[in-house]
């Protein structure tokens, strides 16, 4: 291995003496995971349900801890255009398993190896009779953040 260097521990001693030393050993675990979310969804305004459901699932989380998920939904608007016209937008909400207030446009939840699957519901209470005809589009935006529980245990030096 020409041109490389390696730290070594060297000790010298003599008969009748004991020599001790210490070498450092390290290992790093880097968290990785994959999350599956719904790609395209449709809400049927003609039915009674006026919602769609999808699954958010984590796989391959190779460490302890959780992945904190923030999901926000935008109002659906006619042709996806920015508008404040109430006849061209559908107020939209998101709820995730056990949400205490499913009337929000924000939901925060955790995924982990022990709790890897959540069901999300995107809904509207809009009545098509009050809206212009056409395609209404919006989005569900997701933010994923790995949360290492050990980080919370490290005291902050003052």
């Amino acid at each position: 291995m020409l041109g490389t260097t390696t730290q070594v521990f060297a000790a010298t001693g003599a008969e009748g003496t004991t020599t001790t030393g210490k070498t450092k050993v390290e290992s790093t675990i880097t968290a990785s995971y994959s999350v599956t979310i719904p790609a395209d969804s449709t809400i049927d305004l003609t039915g009674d349900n006026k919602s769609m459901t999808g699954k958010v699932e984590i796989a391959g989380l190779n460490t302890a801890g959780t992945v904190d998920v923030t999901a926000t939904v935008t109002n659906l608007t006619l042709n996806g255009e920015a508008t404040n016209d109430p006849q061209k937008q559908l107020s939209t909400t998101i709820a995730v398993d056990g949400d205490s207030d499913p009337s929000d446009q924000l939901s925060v939840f955790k995924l982990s190896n022990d709790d890897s699957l959540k069901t999300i519901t995107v809904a509207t209470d809009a009545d098509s009779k009050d809206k212009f005809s056409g395609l209404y589009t919006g989005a569900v935006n997701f933010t994923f953040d790995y949360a290492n529980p050990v980080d919370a245990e490290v005291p902050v030096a003052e």
Side-chain angles (χ1 to χ4, degrees), residues 11 117 142:
L117 179 71
F142 290 93

Side-chain angles (χ1 to χ4, degrees), residues 59-79:
L61 178 57
N62 67 333
T63 61
T66 61
V67 174
D68 294 337
V69 183
T70 302
T72 59
V73 66
T74 61
N75 285 338
L76 279 66
T77 59
L78 183 61
N79 299 320

Side-chain angles (χ1 to χ4, degrees), residues 75-144:
N75 285 338
L76 279 66
T77 59
L78 183 61
N79 299 320
E81 299 172 6
T83 181
N84 290 326
D85 185 341
Q87 290 182 308
K88 294 181 180 179
Q89 66 176 300
L90 308 174
S91 60
T92 310
T93 60
I94 188 167
V96 176
D97 295 338
D99 267 354
S100 59
D101 187 3
S103 63
D104 286 339
Q105 289 190 304
L106 167 77
S107 187
V108 178
F109 56 97
K110 296 178 181 302
L111 296 170
S112 68
N113 286 321
D114 295 330
D115 191 11
S116 62
L117 179 71
K118 297 289 185 186
T119 300
I120 62 168
T121 302
V122 176
T124 183
D125 59 2
D127 188 341
S128 62
K129 295 176 187 173
D130 298 333
K131 307 300 176 188
F132 290 118
S133 64
L135 177 65
Y136 286 77
T137 60
V140 179
N141 303 296
F142 290 93
T143 302
F144 304 99

